[in-house]
Amino acid sequence: MSTRRGPRPVHERLRRLLVILPWLAERGEASLAEMTERFQVSERDLIADLEQVACCGLPPFLDECIDLFIDDGVAYIGVPRFFTRPLRLTAPEGFALLAAGRTAMALPGADTAGPLARALDKLEAVLGDDGIVLELAEPPATAVLVGAAQRGERVRITYWAASNGEQTERVITPRTVYTDRGKWYVVADDERSGEERNFRVDRILDCTPTGDYVPLREVDAPMGDAWFDDLAEASGTTVVTLELQPAGHWVVERYPVRVLDDAGSLWRVDLAVGSERWFRSLLVHLGDAARVVAPVEWSSLAAAAASELLARRYAASS
């Protein structure tokens, strides 16, 4: 089997440490052999990450560094004093930490009853009911894709496209797995198109590792405007400007948009649309809560889509 080549992405190293350190801190010590098997990481990478942790702390770094060292194949950790102080977070910081922690819990070796899981449960309770939206159902392919991204391994997938309802067989190289707007996504090199693509993980019907490896490449998960820009520049994509009534504001949370104006109750956004057929169904769902501003030639799509729907239902009932 080929080995990994190239540096590991920093965000993946940090995400794994978010799982490893609470587990190790609760035990005080653990053998490197046990940790490599549990967390599915090589001993070389594990040692490199733990050595970096030993350099972390609070300025002026005299007696406030994480007390972590490795001796004769065993890692030892002590909890520094600053971890015993109450943690003060703003609401956005708390939600960001909760989201990062929930994502990390999908990694191999994460203890669903361990200290990280317990801490996240407490944080969610403090944040209130709104934190529940971060409890994302994990699609079956998630763990396979996360592992493949860490190893630089190609996987063969069967993908269902919502835009046309077709299933395609593809070979992709996952680069990073992330969550956004309540869904799981994978950024991957797609051999079929020869481009880097975003795939919805819950639309991957089958996912099988191929055993073929390529050099790792660090990729940042596209979020917000960056995600919108990536889609807007893709071939076959139309940027549609919408006016959304309050009943249609959910579009901003679910799809890649650029918000142009959200000062009042009537929001104006740009939406990246890859399929007219899909957009027609969205307009039917939105009803009077949305109006197409541009392009002008699409302004009548909502009425046309509603008429077609009524005609199909009438034909089916007659």
Side-chain angles (χ1 to χ4, degrees):
M1 181 179 70
S2 302
T3 57
R4 174 185 56 81
R5 294 180 290 275
R8 288 173 297 147
V10 173
H11 68 279
E12 290 184 4
R13 298 176 65 183
L14 293 176
R15 192 184 305 161
R16 184 179 296 280
L17 284 172
L18 188 60
V19 174
I20 293 177
L21 290 181
W23 180 88
L24 179 59
E26 188 174 53
R27 288 155 181 77
E29 64 181 69
S31 69
L32 296 180
E34 178 185 3
M35 296 173 71
T36 56
E37 180 178 358
R38 178 180 181 87
F39 299 106
Q40 298 182 26
V41 61
S42 71
E43 184 172 309
R44 182 190 65 181
D45 289 344
L46 177 63
I47 291 175
D49 290 345
L50 294 180
E51 288 177 343
Q52 289 294 318
V53 171
C55 300
C56 297
L58 293 179
F61 305 105
L62 297 177
D63 60 351
E64 292 288 7
C65 283
I66 296 178
D67 183 17
L68 192 153
F69 65 95
I70 300 171
D71 181 43
D72 195 24
V74 178
Y76 302 85
I77 190 171
V79 179
R81 289 182 302 169
F82 63 81
F83 276 124
T84 65
R85 302 169 187 167
L87 185 61
R88 300 184 183 277
L89 299 173
T90 65
E93 289 171 338
F95 280 113
L97 181 59
L98 183 57
R102 293 301 188 201
T103 302
M105 288 299 295
L107 292 175
D111 187 352
T112 56
L116 176 59
R118 296 196 299 271
L120 293 175
D121 289 340
K122 292 177 181 178
L123 178 58
E124 183 177 289
V126 172
L127 290 173
D129 293 340
D130 287 344
I132 295 176
V133 300
L134 297 174
E135 274 285 10
L136 304 178
E138 183 181 319
T142 306
V144 176
L145 294 169
V146 169
Q150 293 168 349
R151 298 186 299 270
E153 183 176 7
R154 293 187 179 99
V155 296
R156 189 178 307 278
I157 66 171
T158 301
Y159 190 72
W160 176 76
S163 59
N164 54 23
E166 294 182 354
Q167 294 183 21
T168 56
E169 301 292 329
R170 298 171 179 266
V171 175
I172 64 172
T173 304
R175 295 303 185 181
T176 188
V177 178
Y178 67 100
T179 59
D180 189 41
R181 295 171 171 84
K183 301 293 182 182
W184 288 82
Y185 297 86
V186 56
V187 179
D189 298 336
D190 177 33
E191 291 191 4
R192 179 188 176 98
S193 64
E195 300 175 352
E196 182 183 286
R197 292 284 182 87
N198 277 273
F199 295 95
R200 274 263 299 267
V201 177
D202 60 335
R203 293 176 180 167
I204 296 178
L205 307 180
D206 184 66
C207 183
T208 306
T210 65
D212 297 329
Y213 295 80
V214 299
L216 292 180
R217 179 168 60 84
E218 185 169 351
V219 172
D220 292 327
M223 303 293 284
D225 284 351
W227 187 20
F228 173 86
D229 291 340
D230 288 344
L231 290 177
E233 295 171 2
S235 60
T237 299
T238 301
V239 176
V240 180
T241 302
L242 290 174
E243 284 185 350
L244 299 172
Q245 299 287 347
H249 289 178
W250 55 268
V251 170
V252 175
E253 300 298 327
R254 190 171 301 181
Y255 301 113
V257 301
R258 175 180 288 120
V259 178
L260 305 177
D261 181 12
D262 61 352
S265 61
L266 184 63
W267 291 4
R268 181 177 289 233
V269 302
D270 281 344
L271 172 68
V273 177
S275 164
E276 182 179 324
R277 173 181 172 183
W278 171 85
F279 184 59
R280 282 170 172 258
S281 65
L282 175 64
L283 289 176
V284 170
H285 188 43
L286 285 166
D288 293 337
R291 183 177 75 88
V292 177
V293 177
V296 176
E297 57 269 25
W298 282 33
S299 60
S300 60
L301 282 184
S307 296
E308 292 173 4
L309 178 62
L310 289 174
R312 287 198 300 270
R313 290 183 175 177
Y314 178 78
S317 61
S318 59

